[in-house]
Amino acid sequence: GAAQLERLSGARPGVRVRRSFRARAGDLPRTPGPVPVPGTMKQASAAQDTSPASPPASPPAQPPRDDGEPRALWIFGYGSLVWRPDFAYSDSRVGFVRGYSRRFWQGDTFHRGSDKMPGRVVTLLEDHEGCTWGVAYQVRDEQVSEALKYLHVREAELGGYDTKEVTFYPQDTPDQPLKALAYVATPQNPGYLGPAPEEAIATQILACHGFSGHNLEYLLRLADFMQLCGPQAQDEHLAAIVDAVGTMLPCFCPTKQALGLV
């Protein structure tokens, strides 16, 4: 139930992500993205089985294939992967990991910024009291190698992220955790920017654009996702940056493309 989920997630009283800044920006619409709906989801596909059955929340370990890859793997996304995985998967679940907090401390010179103006994207910071919400995707059989190959380029080569195993608690079955692979940017990678005041991060986000779009879009889609997770989902760092953006936007004079995202 909700009480059990709140206990497991370690939700603490804090600032929720607010959208009042949209009114200050003219409340202009933006094209809706494929933000997941909390709960268990399956990837849309013309050839997908319409049966409502889903795999067990905690599947037994499976022997590796002949090429050394596991037959099934869960991948945890907490940044752009929550709305744009861009790899084939068999199942996906909204939930959280304990012991980590999400921070806009990683620099991005490709997807959301450039060499001259790096954008700010999220990584995970070890935090004993932390809780980070996101989406876990299950890949199976040939999907495993395809997803790992794609994510190695997107997250490791272009993003500076390393892999780490985390324990993921699905929102619908938090008492049945899963082992998942997460991509984490550590202070050792050359793109790491580290901590900064939320106002400074907001200013940087408003100014940056990369091959995947404006840095502001990245921030707002992540805020949209957190809204869908419900009142038990807290991210004070994200909320503070969103509020700072709302305060700065009327006098920042961003491009029409950035303003259209608000």
Side-chain angles (χ1 to χ4, degrees), residues 6-75:
E6 210 169 291
R7 174 176 55 82
L8 286 168
S9 67
R12 294 172 290 173
V15 182
R16 291 295 315 286
V17 174
R18 298 192 293 273
R19 299 189 187 181
S20 59
F21 68 88
R22 288 193 180 176
R24 282 177 270 169
D27 200 24
L28 297 179
R30 73 177 187 271
T31 304
V35 179
V37 175
T40 301
M41 305 166 293
K42 292 207 173 202
Q43 184 185 36
S45 171
Q48 180 179 310
D49 184 0
T50 57
S51 170
S54 60
S58 185
Q62 300 195 34
R65 301 182 311 178
D66 293 340
D67 58 7
E69 298 285 1
R71 292 186 177 179
L73 177 70
W74 288 90
I75 299 169

